Short mmCIF file of all heavy atoms in Angstrom, two decimals:
data_model
loop_
_atom_site.label_atom_id
_atom_site.label_comp_id
_atom_site.label_asym_id
_atom_site.label_seq_id
_atom_site.Cartn_x
_atom_site.Cartn_y
_atom_site.Cartn_z
N MET A 1 126.77 -4.25 115.38
CA MET A 1 128.16 -4.72 115.50
C MET A 1 128.96 -3.90 114.54
O MET A 1 128.58 -3.78 113.37
CB MET A 1 128.33 -6.15 115.38
CG MET A 1 129.69 -6.67 115.61
SD MET A 1 129.67 -8.49 115.65
CE MET A 1 131.35 -8.76 115.91
N ALA A 2 130.10 -3.31 114.87
CA ALA A 2 130.96 -2.61 113.95
C ALA A 2 131.58 -3.54 112.96
O ALA A 2 131.93 -4.62 113.16
CB ALA A 2 132.06 -1.95 114.78
N LYS A 3 131.64 -2.97 111.75
CA LYS A 3 132.29 -3.77 110.62
C LYS A 3 133.78 -3.69 110.89
O LYS A 3 134.30 -2.69 111.34
CB LYS A 3 131.94 -2.89 109.36
CG LYS A 3 132.43 -3.59 108.07
CD LYS A 3 132.03 -2.73 106.89
CE LYS A 3 132.63 -3.42 105.63
NZ LYS A 3 132.22 -2.63 104.37
N SER A 4 134.39 -4.84 110.50
CA SER A 4 135.85 -4.86 110.63
C SER A 4 136.46 -4.63 109.26
O SER A 4 135.91 -4.97 108.29
CB SER A 4 136.34 -6.10 111.27
OG SER A 4 136.10 -7.17 110.46
N PHE A 5 137.68 -4.00 109.31
CA PHE A 5 138.32 -3.77 108.04
C PHE A 5 139.77 -4.36 108.08
O PHE A 5 140.43 -4.39 109.07
CB PHE A 5 138.57 -2.17 107.96
CG PHE A 5 137.25 -1.43 107.74
CD1 PHE A 5 136.46 -1.09 108.88
CD2 PHE A 5 136.71 -1.21 106.52
CE1 PHE A 5 135.31 -0.39 108.73
CE2 PHE A 5 135.52 -0.51 106.37
CZ PHE A 5 134.81 -0.18 107.44
N PRO A 6 140.20 -4.82 106.94
CA PRO A 6 141.55 -5.36 106.88
C PRO A 6 142.70 -4.29 107.05
O PRO A 6 142.28 -3.00 106.63
CB PRO A 6 141.66 -6.03 105.47
CG PRO A 6 140.71 -5.37 104.62
CD PRO A 6 139.49 -4.88 105.66
N HIS A 7 143.79 -4.55 107.39
CA HIS A 7 144.84 -3.48 107.49
C HIS A 7 145.12 -2.87 106.12
O HIS A 7 145.69 -1.81 106.11
CB HIS A 7 146.07 -4.05 108.16
CG HIS A 7 145.95 -3.96 109.64
ND1 HIS A 7 147.03 -4.06 110.59
CD2 HIS A 7 144.88 -3.88 110.53
CE1 HIS A 7 146.62 -4.03 111.82
NE2 HIS A 7 145.38 -3.84 111.83
N SER A 8 144.89 -3.59 105.05
CA SER A 8 145.08 -3.12 103.83
C SER A 8 144.03 -2.13 103.28
O SER A 8 144.26 -1.48 102.27
CB SER A 8 145.24 -4.30 102.81
OG SER A 8 143.99 -5.00 102.73
N PHE A 9 143.03 -1.92 104.06
CA PHE A 9 141.92 -1.00 103.72
C PHE A 9 142.53 0.32 103.59
O PHE A 9 143.04 0.94 104.53
CB PHE A 9 140.83 -1.04 104.74
CG PHE A 9 139.64 -0.13 104.29
CD1 PHE A 9 138.69 -0.57 103.52
CD2 PHE A 9 139.51 1.08 104.86
CE1 PHE A 9 137.53 0.22 103.13
CE2 PHE A 9 138.41 1.90 104.56
CZ PHE A 9 137.46 1.51 103.65
N GLU A 10 142.20 1.10 102.41
CA GLU A 10 142.72 2.42 102.25
C GLU A 10 141.74 3.42 102.87
O GLU A 10 140.68 3.68 102.42
CB GLU A 10 142.76 2.72 100.76
CG GLU A 10 143.73 3.83 100.38
CD GLU A 10 143.81 3.95 98.87
OE1 GLU A 10 144.80 3.27 98.34
OE2 GLU A 10 143.11 4.64 98.16
N VAL A 11 142.23 3.98 103.95
CA VAL A 11 141.43 5.02 104.65
C VAL A 11 141.44 6.39 104.05
O VAL A 11 140.38 7.00 103.83
CB VAL A 11 141.90 5.19 106.07
CG1 VAL A 11 141.01 6.11 106.95
CG2 VAL A 11 141.78 3.73 106.92
N CYS A 12 142.63 6.89 103.56
CA CYS A 12 142.75 8.06 102.95
C CYS A 12 143.11 7.84 101.52
O CYS A 12 144.18 7.38 101.12
CB CYS A 12 143.92 8.94 103.63
SG CYS A 12 144.16 10.54 102.74
N ASN A 13 142.08 8.02 100.57
CA ASN A 13 142.30 7.78 99.21
C ASN A 13 143.22 8.71 98.52
O ASN A 13 144.04 8.34 97.66
CB ASN A 13 140.88 7.72 98.54
CG ASN A 13 139.90 6.77 98.95
OD1 ASN A 13 138.77 7.02 99.24
ND2 ASN A 13 140.41 5.51 99.39
N CYS A 14 143.15 9.93 99.01
CA CYS A 14 144.07 10.94 98.40
C CYS A 14 145.56 10.62 98.54
O CYS A 14 146.35 10.71 97.53
CB CYS A 14 143.83 12.38 98.98
SG CYS A 14 142.34 13.03 98.58
N HIS A 15 145.93 10.12 99.67
CA HIS A 15 147.41 9.76 99.86
C HIS A 15 147.72 8.36 100.01
O HIS A 15 148.73 7.99 100.43
CB HIS A 15 147.87 10.63 101.22
CG HIS A 15 147.99 11.98 101.02
ND1 HIS A 15 148.82 12.61 100.10
CD2 HIS A 15 147.06 13.05 101.46
CE1 HIS A 15 148.66 13.91 100.18
NE2 HIS A 15 147.53 14.25 100.91
N LYS A 16 146.66 7.50 99.68
CA LYS A 16 146.80 6.09 99.71
C LYS A 16 147.31 5.57 101.04
O LYS A 16 148.25 4.60 101.15
CB LYS A 16 147.75 5.52 98.62
CG LYS A 16 147.49 6.19 97.27
CD LYS A 16 146.52 5.32 96.49
CE LYS A 16 146.23 5.81 95.10
NZ LYS A 16 144.90 6.05 94.78
N VAL A 17 146.79 6.08 102.12
CA VAL A 17 147.18 5.63 103.41
C VAL A 17 146.23 4.54 104.01
O VAL A 17 145.01 4.74 103.98
CB VAL A 17 147.11 6.80 104.40
CG1 VAL A 17 147.64 6.27 105.83
CG2 VAL A 17 148.12 7.90 103.95
N THR A 18 146.71 3.37 104.44
CA THR A 18 145.91 2.21 104.74
C THR A 18 145.69 2.28 106.28
O THR A 18 146.39 2.95 107.10
CB THR A 18 146.65 0.93 104.43
OG1 THR A 18 147.93 0.93 105.17
CG2 THR A 18 146.98 0.81 102.94
N LEU A 19 144.64 1.52 106.62
CA LEU A 19 144.36 1.35 108.12
C LEU A 19 145.60 0.83 108.78
O LEU A 19 145.94 1.25 109.93
CB LEU A 19 143.23 0.35 108.25
CG LEU A 19 142.81 0.01 109.72
CD1 LEU A 19 142.46 1.26 110.52
CD2 LEU A 19 141.74 -1.07 109.71
N GLY A 20 146.35 -0.10 108.22
CA GLY A 20 147.52 -0.62 108.82
C GLY A 20 148.57 0.44 109.18
O GLY A 20 149.23 0.39 110.16
N GLU A 21 148.75 1.43 108.20
CA GLU A 21 149.74 2.42 108.45
C GLU A 21 149.18 3.45 109.54
O GLU A 21 150.02 3.79 110.47
CB GLU A 21 149.75 3.34 107.19
CG GLU A 21 150.56 2.51 106.09
CD GLU A 21 150.55 3.34 104.74
OE1 GLU A 21 149.48 3.23 104.09
OE2 GLU A 21 151.55 3.94 104.47
N ILE A 22 147.87 3.66 109.68
CA ILE A 22 147.27 4.46 110.73
C ILE A 22 147.56 3.69 112.05
O ILE A 22 148.01 4.37 113.08
CB ILE A 22 145.78 4.72 110.46
CG1 ILE A 22 145.57 5.40 109.08
CG2 ILE A 22 145.24 5.52 111.67
CD1 ILE A 22 146.14 6.87 109.15
N VAL A 23 147.22 2.40 112.15
CA VAL A 23 147.36 1.77 113.42
C VAL A 23 148.82 1.74 113.76
O VAL A 23 149.06 1.94 114.97
CB VAL A 23 146.76 0.26 113.21
CG1 VAL A 23 147.17 -0.56 114.39
CG2 VAL A 23 145.25 0.33 113.08
N TYR A 24 149.77 1.63 112.85
CA TYR A 24 151.21 1.62 113.13
C TYR A 24 151.61 2.87 113.79
O TYR A 24 152.26 2.80 114.83
CB TYR A 24 151.91 1.33 111.91
CG TYR A 24 153.49 1.51 112.14
CD1 TYR A 24 154.21 0.45 112.76
CD2 TYR A 24 154.14 2.67 111.61
CE1 TYR A 24 155.56 0.61 113.00
CE2 TYR A 24 155.48 2.79 111.87
CZ TYR A 24 156.15 1.76 112.58
OH TYR A 24 157.63 1.96 112.76
N VAL A 25 151.20 4.04 113.22
CA VAL A 25 151.74 5.31 113.87
C VAL A 25 150.98 5.51 115.17
O VAL A 25 151.64 6.18 116.00
CB VAL A 25 151.57 6.51 112.81
CG1 VAL A 25 152.45 6.33 111.60
CG2 VAL A 25 150.17 6.77 112.46
N VAL A 26 149.80 5.09 115.34
CA VAL A 26 149.12 5.27 116.62
C VAL A 26 149.84 4.37 117.65
O VAL A 26 150.20 4.87 118.79
CB VAL A 26 147.67 4.89 116.50
CG1 VAL A 26 146.96 4.80 117.85
CG2 VAL A 26 146.82 5.95 115.73
N LYS A 27 150.16 3.14 117.39
CA LYS A 27 150.67 2.30 118.33
C LYS A 27 152.16 2.42 118.58
O LYS A 27 152.71 2.33 119.69
CB LYS A 27 150.39 0.84 117.90
CG LYS A 27 148.95 0.44 118.28
CD LYS A 27 148.77 -1.17 117.85
CE LYS A 27 147.48 -1.74 118.39
NZ LYS A 27 147.33 -3.11 118.08
N GLU A 28 152.88 2.60 117.45
CA GLU A 28 154.29 2.61 117.57
C GLU A 28 154.88 4.08 117.60
O GLU A 28 156.07 4.20 118.07
CB GLU A 28 154.97 1.94 116.38
CG GLU A 28 154.41 0.41 116.23
CD GLU A 28 154.78 -0.45 117.46
OE1 GLU A 28 155.87 -0.18 118.04
OE2 GLU A 28 153.99 -1.27 117.78
N LYS A 29 154.23 4.90 117.08
CA LYS A 29 154.82 6.35 116.97
C LYS A 29 154.13 7.43 117.91
O LYS A 29 154.48 8.49 117.90
CB LYS A 29 154.72 6.86 115.56
CG LYS A 29 155.49 6.05 114.52
CD LYS A 29 156.98 6.14 114.67
CE LYS A 29 157.86 5.28 113.71
NZ LYS A 29 159.14 5.15 114.00
N GLY A 30 153.04 6.91 118.59
CA GLY A 30 152.48 7.65 119.57
C GLY A 30 151.43 8.74 119.03
O GLY A 30 151.20 9.72 119.75
N ALA A 31 151.03 8.62 117.74
CA ALA A 31 150.06 9.48 117.20
C ALA A 31 148.79 9.50 118.04
O ALA A 31 148.14 8.45 118.33
CB ALA A 31 149.79 9.20 115.72
N LYS A 32 148.27 10.74 118.44
CA LYS A 32 147.02 10.79 119.19
C LYS A 32 146.07 11.77 118.57
O LYS A 32 144.90 11.85 119.11
CB LYS A 32 147.41 11.25 120.58
CG LYS A 32 148.22 10.32 121.43
CD LYS A 32 148.29 10.73 122.84
CE LYS A 32 149.07 9.88 123.80
NZ LYS A 32 149.14 8.52 123.43
N SER A 33 146.40 12.46 117.57
CA SER A 33 145.45 13.49 116.98
C SER A 33 145.57 13.46 115.49
O SER A 33 146.39 12.83 114.87
CB SER A 33 145.92 14.83 117.57
OG SER A 33 147.27 15.21 116.93
N LEU A 34 144.61 14.27 114.89
CA LEU A 34 144.54 14.31 113.38
C LEU A 34 145.90 14.93 112.97
O LEU A 34 146.45 14.65 112.00
CB LEU A 34 143.37 15.15 112.98
CG LEU A 34 142.07 14.45 113.19
CD1 LEU A 34 140.87 15.50 112.95
CD2 LEU A 34 141.92 13.25 112.26
N ASP A 35 146.46 15.97 113.77
CA ASP A 35 147.65 16.64 113.40
C ASP A 35 148.78 15.67 113.36
O ASP A 35 149.66 15.62 112.44
CB ASP A 35 147.97 17.72 114.35
CG ASP A 35 147.34 19.06 114.06
OD1 ASP A 35 146.70 19.13 112.94
OD2 ASP A 35 147.41 19.99 114.87
N ASP A 36 148.84 14.75 114.27
CA ASP A 36 149.83 13.78 114.31
C ASP A 36 149.83 12.78 113.21
O ASP A 36 150.81 12.45 112.53
CB ASP A 36 149.74 12.89 115.60
CG ASP A 36 149.89 13.62 116.88
OD1 ASP A 36 150.63 14.71 116.92
OD2 ASP A 36 149.53 13.19 117.97
N LEU A 37 148.51 12.39 112.86
CA LEU A 37 148.41 11.51 111.68
C LEU A 37 148.86 12.27 110.34
O LEU A 37 149.48 11.60 109.45
CB LEU A 37 146.96 11.07 111.58
CG LEU A 37 146.40 10.19 112.58
CD1 LEU A 37 144.98 9.75 112.36
CD2 LEU A 37 147.22 8.92 112.78
N ALA A 38 148.50 13.51 110.27
CA ALA A 38 148.94 14.26 109.10
C ALA A 38 150.38 14.37 108.96
O ALA A 38 150.96 14.17 107.92
CB ALA A 38 148.31 15.68 109.08
N LYS A 39 151.05 14.65 110.05
CA LYS A 39 152.53 14.81 110.09
C LYS A 39 153.25 13.50 109.80
O LYS A 39 154.17 13.47 108.95
CB LYS A 39 153.07 15.34 111.50
CG LYS A 39 152.78 16.79 111.68
CD LYS A 39 153.21 17.18 113.05
CE LYS A 39 152.74 18.55 113.42
NZ LYS A 39 152.28 18.64 114.79
N LEU A 40 152.67 12.47 110.27
CA LEU A 40 153.31 11.09 110.10
C LEU A 40 153.03 10.25 108.85
O LEU A 40 153.75 9.53 108.29
CB LEU A 40 153.08 10.22 111.30
CG LEU A 40 153.72 10.73 112.63
CD1 LEU A 40 153.15 10.03 113.80
CD2 LEU A 40 155.24 10.50 112.60
N THR A 41 151.82 10.69 108.27
CA THR A 41 151.30 9.82 107.13
C THR A 41 150.86 10.68 106.01
O THR A 41 150.51 10.10 104.92
CB THR A 41 150.22 8.77 107.50
OG1 THR A 41 148.97 9.60 107.84
CG2 THR A 41 150.62 8.01 108.72
N ASP A 42 150.54 11.98 106.18
CA ASP A 42 149.90 12.83 105.22
C ASP A 42 148.34 12.61 105.18
O ASP A 42 147.65 13.21 104.34
CB ASP A 42 150.46 12.80 103.80
CG ASP A 42 151.79 13.47 103.62
OD1 ASP A 42 152.03 14.34 104.54
OD2 ASP A 42 152.53 13.25 102.65
N ALA A 43 147.87 11.53 105.82
CA ALA A 43 146.40 11.34 105.73
C ALA A 43 145.61 12.45 106.26
O ALA A 43 145.95 13.13 107.25
CB ALA A 43 146.04 10.05 106.72
N GLY A 44 144.52 12.75 105.53
CA GLY A 44 143.64 13.87 105.88
C GLY A 44 144.11 15.24 105.47
O GLY A 44 143.62 16.27 105.99
N THR A 45 145.14 15.34 104.74
CA THR A 45 145.66 16.69 104.35
C THR A 45 145.34 17.19 102.95
O THR A 45 145.76 18.27 102.60
CB THR A 45 147.17 16.70 104.48
OG1 THR A 45 147.74 15.76 103.54
CG2 THR A 45 147.62 16.36 105.89
N CYS A 46 144.44 16.47 102.33
CA CYS A 46 144.05 16.92 100.91
C CYS A 46 142.56 17.28 100.94
O CYS A 46 142.28 18.40 101.34
CB CYS A 46 144.37 15.84 99.86
SG CYS A 46 144.29 16.38 98.27
N CYS A 47 141.66 16.43 100.52
CA CYS A 47 140.30 16.71 100.50
C CYS A 47 139.64 16.72 101.77
O CYS A 47 138.56 17.33 102.07
CB CYS A 47 139.42 15.85 99.61
SG CYS A 47 139.32 14.20 100.13
N LYS A 48 140.19 16.05 102.72
CA LYS A 48 139.73 15.88 104.11
C LYS A 48 138.45 15.06 104.36
O LYS A 48 138.00 15.00 105.40
CB LYS A 48 139.62 17.20 104.89
CG LYS A 48 140.83 18.12 104.90
CD LYS A 48 140.67 19.34 105.72
CE LYS A 48 141.84 20.24 105.66
NZ LYS A 48 143.17 19.65 105.84
N CYS A 49 138.03 14.41 103.23
CA CYS A 49 136.88 13.55 103.34
C CYS A 49 137.00 12.29 104.19
O CYS A 49 136.16 11.71 104.59
CB CYS A 49 136.33 13.11 101.93
SG CYS A 49 135.60 14.54 101.12
N CYS A 50 138.30 11.99 104.47
CA CYS A 50 138.54 10.80 105.34
C CYS A 50 138.56 11.11 106.74
O CYS A 50 138.69 10.28 107.57
CB CYS A 50 139.89 10.16 104.82
SG CYS A 50 141.31 11.23 105.03
N VAL A 51 138.57 12.42 107.08
CA VAL A 51 138.59 12.89 108.53
C VAL A 51 137.32 12.50 109.33
O VAL A 51 137.39 11.93 110.35
CB VAL A 51 138.92 14.37 108.46
CG1 VAL A 51 138.79 14.83 110.02
CG2 VAL A 51 140.23 14.64 107.99
N ASP A 52 136.15 12.92 108.70
CA ASP A 52 134.94 12.59 109.45
C ASP A 52 133.80 12.60 108.37
O ASP A 52 134.06 12.77 107.15
CB ASP A 52 134.63 13.58 110.57
CG ASP A 52 134.57 14.97 110.05
OD1 ASP A 52 134.21 15.28 108.95
OD2 ASP A 52 135.01 15.77 110.92
N ALA A 53 132.54 12.41 108.80
CA ALA A 53 131.49 12.28 107.81
C ALA A 53 130.90 13.65 107.22
O ALA A 53 130.01 13.79 106.43
CB ALA A 53 130.27 11.61 108.50
N SER A 54 131.71 14.69 107.51
CA SER A 54 131.15 16.10 107.13
C SER A 54 131.08 16.35 105.76
O SER A 54 130.35 17.12 105.23
CB SER A 54 132.01 17.17 107.90
OG SER A 54 133.32 17.12 107.37
N CYS A 55 131.88 15.59 104.84
CA CYS A 55 131.71 15.79 103.34
C CYS A 55 130.95 14.67 102.67
O CYS A 55 130.93 14.64 101.51
CB CYS A 55 132.97 16.09 102.70
SG CYS A 55 134.14 14.83 102.66
N ASP A 56 130.35 13.77 103.49
CA ASP A 56 129.48 12.74 102.86
C ASP A 56 128.22 13.43 102.21
O ASP A 56 127.62 14.25 102.77
CB ASP A 56 128.95 11.76 103.92
CG ASP A 56 130.08 10.80 104.38
OD1 ASP A 56 131.13 10.83 103.90
OD2 ASP A 56 129.70 10.11 105.40
N ILE A 57 127.99 12.92 100.93
CA ILE A 57 126.83 13.43 100.21
C ILE A 57 125.98 12.31 99.73
O ILE A 57 126.44 11.45 99.00
CB ILE A 57 127.25 14.28 99.01
CG1 ILE A 57 128.10 15.39 99.43
CG2 ILE A 57 126.05 14.81 98.22
CD1 ILE A 57 128.87 16.14 98.31
N GLY A 58 124.71 12.16 100.21
CA GLY A 58 123.86 11.12 99.76
C GLY A 58 124.39 9.73 99.97
O GLY A 58 124.92 9.49 101.06
N GLU A 59 124.51 8.88 99.02
CA GLU A 59 125.08 7.62 99.07
C GLU A 59 126.54 7.57 99.09
O GLU A 59 127.22 6.57 99.26
CB GLU A 59 124.59 6.74 97.92
CG GLU A 59 123.00 6.54 98.04
CD GLU A 59 122.56 5.90 99.31
OE1 GLU A 59 123.23 4.80 99.75
OE2 GLU A 59 121.72 6.41 100.02
N GLU A 60 127.22 8.74 98.61
CA GLU A 60 128.63 8.85 98.53
C GLU A 60 129.22 9.04 99.95
O GLU A 60 129.31 10.08 100.52
CB GLU A 60 129.01 10.07 97.73
CG GLU A 60 128.68 10.02 96.26
CD GLU A 60 129.74 9.04 95.51
OE1 GLU A 60 130.86 9.10 95.87
OE2 GLU A 60 129.23 8.31 94.58
N LYS A 61 129.63 7.84 100.58
CA LYS A 61 130.23 7.87 101.91
C LYS A 61 131.42 7.17 101.93
O LYS A 61 131.65 6.21 101.29
CB LYS A 61 129.24 7.21 102.82
CG LYS A 61 127.96 8.00 103.04
CD LYS A 61 127.04 7.30 104.12
CE LYS A 61 125.84 8.03 104.51
NZ LYS A 61 124.71 8.07 103.53
N MET A 62 132.40 7.64 102.76
CA MET A 62 133.55 7.00 103.04
C MET A 62 133.05 5.89 104.13
O MET A 62 132.01 6.02 104.65
CB MET A 62 134.71 7.83 103.76
CG MET A 62 135.07 9.08 102.96
SD MET A 62 136.03 8.74 101.57
CE MET A 62 137.60 8.35 102.36
N GLN A 63 133.83 4.74 104.19
CA GLN A 63 133.45 3.82 105.08
C GLN A 63 134.09 3.82 106.47
O GLN A 63 133.42 3.26 107.41
CB GLN A 63 133.73 2.47 104.40
CG GLN A 63 132.93 2.18 103.19
CD GLN A 63 133.37 0.81 102.57
OE1 GLN A 63 133.12 -0.24 103.19
NE2 GLN A 63 133.90 0.90 101.39
N LEU A 64 135.10 4.47 106.59
CA LEU A 64 135.94 4.52 107.87
C LEU A 64 136.63 5.83 107.80
O LEU A 64 137.19 6.28 106.85
CB LEU A 64 136.83 3.37 107.92
CG LEU A 64 137.74 3.19 109.00
CD1 LEU A 64 136.88 2.88 110.23
CD2 LEU A 64 138.75 1.99 108.84
N TYR A 65 136.59 6.52 109.05
CA TYR A 65 137.06 7.82 109.14
C TYR A 65 138.31 7.93 110.09
O TYR A 65 138.32 7.13 111.13
CB TYR A 65 136.03 8.83 109.67
CG TYR A 65 134.83 8.82 108.65
CD1 TYR A 65 133.69 8.04 108.99
CD2 TYR A 65 134.85 9.64 107.50
CE1 TYR A 65 132.55 8.05 108.14
CE2 TYR A 65 133.80 9.65 106.62
CZ TYR A 65 132.64 8.84 106.96
OH TYR A 65 131.59 8.86 106.14
N LEU A 66 139.17 8.83 109.89
CA LEU A 66 140.32 8.96 110.84
C LEU A 66 139.97 9.25 112.21
O LEU A 66 140.52 8.67 113.21
CB LEU A 66 141.13 10.16 110.31
CG LEU A 66 141.82 9.95 108.96
CD1 LEU A 66 142.65 11.20 108.59
CD2 LEU A 66 142.70 8.71 108.93
N THR A 67 138.82 10.05 112.45
CA THR A 67 138.35 10.34 113.78
C THR A 67 137.85 9.05 114.46
O THR A 67 138.03 8.86 115.71
CB THR A 67 137.26 11.41 113.80
OG1 THR A 67 136.29 11.14 112.72
CG2 THR A 67 137.83 12.82 113.38
N GLN A 68 137.16 8.19 113.69
CA GLN A 68 136.81 6.89 114.30
C GLN A 68 137.79 6.13 114.84
O GLN A 68 137.82 5.51 115.90
CB GLN A 68 135.90 6.07 113.29
CG GLN A 68 134.56 6.52 112.87
CD GLN A 68 134.06 5.62 111.80
OE1 GLN A 68 134.57 5.61 110.75
NE2 GLN A 68 132.95 4.95 112.16
N ILE A 69 138.90 6.08 114.03
CA ILE A 69 140.07 5.19 114.40
C ILE A 69 140.71 5.77 115.61
O ILE A 69 141.05 5.12 116.57
CB ILE A 69 141.09 5.14 113.20
CG1 ILE A 69 140.37 4.53 111.99
CG2 ILE A 69 142.28 4.31 113.59
CD1 ILE A 69 141.24 4.69 110.65
N LEU A 70 140.96 7.07 115.65
CA LEU A 70 141.63 7.74 116.76
C LEU A 70 140.70 7.53 118.06
O LEU A 70 141.26 7.26 119.11
CB LEU A 70 141.79 9.29 116.56
CG LEU A 70 142.91 9.65 115.61
CD1 LEU A 70 142.91 11.19 115.36
CD2 LEU A 70 144.29 9.17 116.20
N ASN A 71 139.41 7.66 117.85
CA ASN A 71 138.51 7.49 119.05
C ASN A 71 138.57 6.14 119.71
O ASN A 71 138.58 5.99 120.83
CB ASN A 71 137.09 7.76 118.71
CG ASN A 71 136.75 9.32 118.53
OD1 ASN A 71 137.59 10.10 118.94
ND2 ASN A 71 135.62 9.62 117.81
N LYS A 72 138.85 5.14 118.79
CA LYS A 72 138.93 3.77 119.30
C LYS A 72 140.11 3.56 120.12
O LYS A 72 140.16 2.94 121.14
CB LYS A 72 139.00 2.85 118.00
CG LYS A 72 138.92 1.32 118.52
CD LYS A 72 138.73 0.57 117.18
CE LYS A 72 138.81 -0.94 117.39
NZ LYS A 72 137.84 -1.57 118.24
N PHE A 73 141.27 4.24 119.73
CA PHE A 73 142.51 4.13 120.52
C PHE A 73 142.58 5.09 121.67
O PHE A 73 143.35 4.77 122.59
CB PHE A 73 143.68 4.30 119.56
CG PHE A 73 143.95 3.11 118.67
CD1 PHE A 73 143.46 3.12 117.37
CD2 PHE A 73 144.57 1.96 119.17
CE1 PHE A 73 143.67 2.04 116.58
CE2 PHE A 73 144.83 0.88 118.36
CZ PHE A 73 144.38 0.91 117.08
N ASN A 74 141.85 6.18 121.66
CA ASN A 74 141.93 7.24 122.68
C ASN A 74 140.97 7.04 123.89
O ASN A 74 140.74 7.95 124.55
CB ASN A 74 141.85 8.58 122.01
CG ASN A 74 143.11 8.99 121.27
OD1 ASN A 74 144.18 8.42 121.51
ND2 ASN A 74 142.98 9.89 120.35
N LYS A 75 140.35 5.89 124.00
CA LYS A 75 139.36 5.66 124.94
C LYS A 75 140.10 5.46 126.34
O LYS A 75 141.09 4.96 126.39
CB LYS A 75 138.48 4.44 124.65
CG LYS A 75 137.38 4.81 123.60
CD LYS A 75 136.55 3.54 123.34
CE LYS A 75 135.55 3.92 122.39
NZ LYS A 75 134.66 2.84 121.93
S1 LIG B 1 140.69 10.95 101.32
FE1 LIG B 1 142.12 11.60 102.91
S2 LIG B 1 142.59 13.65 102.30
FE2 LIG B 1 141.23 13.04 100.71
#
């Protein structure tokens, strides 16, 4: 079962963007892509470790990725 996260969960640590902000721009502003999220929130525009698991090293893992969130809404 997928873990659930509060809307206050910080998805993008570099720009302090929360899950709630991501959900808001997807639902209310029509964001459908990583580019849209970047333009509307700046999420994923610095180290990019919040985008997907590609920069996970060993036990150092982000818990939730922008691509996971977009996939959930783009089904
Ligand atoms: S954690 Fe999102 S760009 Fe670095």
Side-chain angles (χ1 to χ4, degrees):
M1 186 172 179
K3 183 177 176 182
S4 66
F5 294 88
H7 276 202
S8 60
F9 182 83
E10 198 173 274
V11 181
C12 178
N13 300 139
C14 292
H15 292 290
K16 312 274 183 231
V17 181
T18 64
L19 175 60
E21 292 172 279
I22 301 292
V23 169
Y24 172 76
V25 296
V26 168
K27 285 186 168 178
E28 304 298 328
K29 302 291 183 187
K32 293 191 182 329
S33 66
L34 291 171
D35 276 352
D36 293 342
L37 294 182
K39 285 181 193 137
L40 293 165
T41 69
D42 283 342
T45 60
C46 190
C47 73
K48 300 188 187 313
C49 289
C50 59
V51 171
D52 57 33
S54 60
C55 67
D56 285 352
I57 301 167
E59 297 299 310
E60 290 284 324
K61 293 183 171 76
M62 303 290 283
Q63 296 180 60
L64 183 62
Y65 302 97
L66 297 175
T67 49
Q68 284 179 297
I69 301 167
L70 285 173
N71 286 342
K72 186 171 172 69
F73 285 100
N74 290 335
K75 282 183 181 172

